[in-house]
Amino acid sequence: MVTPTSPNLELLSVRPFSTFFNQPGLIRTMDGFLGKVSLSSAAALDARQANQYILKLKVSCGSGEETEQPLSVTVLRDDGPPVCTGLFDSPAGARVQVLETVAPESQLYTVLLRRDLGSSQRVRIVSPQSPPYFPGSFTVDSRGHVLAPNESFVGHAGKTFRLQISVTDGKNRSCQGTLTVEVLPDPHNRVSFWNHPQDFNISESASPGSRVTQLQANGSNLLYDIMAPEHCPLYSIGPEDGTIRTTSPLDLGRDPGAAVTWLQVKAYERARPGNSARLSISITVVPTNRWSPRCSPALLVTQVPETKPNGSVLMTLSCSDPDSGNASFSYRLQPNETQPYNFRLQNSVLRMNTTLDYDSASPDFQYTATILVTDNGHPPLTTQVPVMVTVTPVNEHAPRCSPPFTFLVREDALPGHQVGTIHGFDTDYPFNNIDYRISGSSKLFYLDHRKGQIYLLGPLDYETRRSYTLTISLTDWGQDQDPTKHLSGSCAVTIEVQDVNDNPPECTPPYQELTIYSKLRTSTEVGRIACWDRDAPERQRFSYTIVGGNNKGDFHLSAGGQLLTLFHDSSSFQPDSRTHQLLIRVVDDGPTFPRLSTTVTVLVHVFPRVTAVTATSTVTPTTPSAIPLLVTGIELYWAPEPWFVAVLTVTGALLIITLGWLLYASLSRMVLSPSTIRKPSLPLLHPSAKENEKTTDGLQSNKEEAAGSIPALQLFDGRAQDPVTGRDYLFDSNTGARHWI
């Protein structure tokens, strides 16, 4: 809008209300004045929220005329990428200058866009900001305001910082620009040191050239120098960077005065040396701990008996530090992982924490640990004191026996048979290291001294002695540090003999000869045999069997305990005389197998009964004058190899044939020899019957036949004589009566 005079253009209102527009201005042209309305830098137009603004403008002329005119601004929707404007988008980028005294986080620049992106706008600095060069990081907010670092620019005068900034919308579309920030010195600023600490420490072990600290002052083009002491042999300062370094070794032993050094440092401008500042600092040399503690003893190697009580002192350490005469030490016990609780440490005193049992620790008899001694130097140094404790044995427990205490052995066991083993035990290590002895002398048993095994030396007889008691002495050895120290114990063991059936039954008489007459009563007792067994005298049970001479069943047996009674059946006898040789087999009922037997031989002479005889039938036992023959049979079970059975069968057959022939020849000579045949004595008869005896030829011939059938032995015919009266009589074996003749 142009007026002929010098006008004044004002913005009265914006509808809807907005601060996006700046106050308008007039530009003189050849034809007059041109009004210009611009958007403010904070404008954020958004067609979605308001697509039209009505601006009410007022024009005032110098003549006092005024007029108001509306101006319509339409906001068009633009969905294109963000577009950076101004020098920021140029190749050289935008450039701003700031004084070094500018406040931290001050707004330095605003990034301009062709259109406002609204809340979707993201602005960030994408170029690196290296800390050694940058005093801190520049930041930019979402509205594009570039802010100074949170640290001051003081000391960075003359530096330029180039920042590359990226603006991104919600669709990840972006534009980039460059901003260069130049820091200018403040002409009114004086040189001053920063707020540095004034006390510094350095280790005595620092080598020459080691850095102590770096001093910094405010100012441009500064130089640094040490003003005092005038000649400093230990330290120097970099004239341009203000870094203080060591120049020689720091040895407090040679130069105790080097412990603390005071320096006065000056910072001044190169162009204006008068513009300067001074700072006093102290440098303390910290002694270096070069030597670890020295302890006595440096190594503990000792022996303790296993009975040493808990809490006993094993060692007391005495330590010193070559670096310091008044150093203090801390002690720490580092136990063996497998033996963590055997020792305990109280300050410098090492004690036993448990009883070191040699027996339970076997075969590991050594206990180890390490004592760590640390001084209070810088840095702290530690010394290790190894501990090795060897436990020596003590013979504490006497040996003892464990069951069994009774051993069983068969009475038929052969010499060398192992009867049993004595089980001794001793809880001292080495365990069960025992010597066994039989207290007293024993000719029947032998004891292995090391193994405790009892062996048989001679024969046993259950019937003679059934048990033996041995006192066993046990002595340990090799269980004490002193080899002469032994402990002893004893125990009694019983060896019981087991009965074995090794004695056949014994019968009396083993051989007897009886004379009887025919036509006796049925089941008349002929004789008795008494038997017993040495293996089982308390039982005395037998089985009896007639195994020979009773082919026609003329006799039978009745057994009662130890007594065997022989009976006959007279109805089966023939009227002629004859002799029966009975073989009676007696089998025992022994405690073990095999069953043993005895054969009893009974000769029974049977004579026909004479009717003229008035005396009763008599049974006349005759005791042989020859030694009786005792036949013992043993039943054994044996399963030999087949080939051995065949050989044995053939050999046995040949042997039996030979023995049979020899027996037959011998019996033939005995029977046929005239010297072995004698006429038996006739039984005494009643006096009235003597004449009949002389006149009876048939009876005489029968007696001679009966006598000829008796074996060649001296027979007893029942005739006897009373030694007092001299009278003859016949003895009745059944009734025990005497019949005088």
Side-chain angles (χ1 to χ4, degrees), residues 584-600:
I584 302 174
R585 184 182 182 185
V586 182
V587 182
D588 64 5
D589 186 18
T592 59
F593 286 97
R595 297 286 186 257
L596 302 181
S597 63
T598 295
T599 301
V600 179

Side-chain angles (χ1 to χ4, degrees), residues 264-275:
Q264 190 178 53
V265 181
K266 176 182 178 182
Y268 59 94
E269 292 184 356
R270 186 189 301 268
R272 296 183 297 171
N275 188 12

Side-chain angles (χ1 to χ4, degrees), residues 51 189 241 312 365 400 527 539 559 564 664 690 716 735:
N51 59 1
N189 184 31
D241 59 1
S312 300
F365 309 118
R400 292 179 292 171
R539 292 191 296 270
L564 170 66
Y664 174 78
K690 288 184 179 181
F716 177 70
T735 61

Side-chain angles (χ1 to χ4, degrees), residues 464-485:
T464 303
R465 185 171 179 179
R466 299 188 178 186
S467 66
Y468 298 86
T469 300
L470 301 180
T471 301
I472 308 300
S473 174
L474 295 83
T475 305
D476 58 16
W477 55 278
Q479 297 175 328
D480 195 277
Q481 186 74 0
D482 182 4
T484 62
K485 184 177 180 180

Side-chain angles (χ1 to χ4, degrees), residues 376-392:
N376 60 345
H378 299 282
L381 297 181
T382 300
T383 295
Q384 296 184 357
V385 179
V387 176
M388 181 180 297
V389 179
T390 302
V391 182
T392 58

Side-chain angles (χ1 to χ4, degrees), residues 11 13-22 39-40 43-45 50 53:
L11 177 60
S13 63
V14 178
R15 193 178 68 249
F17 176 77
S18 175
T19 60
F20 293 164
F21 301 95
N22 296 325
L39 291 171
S40 68
L45 300 178
Y53 295 92

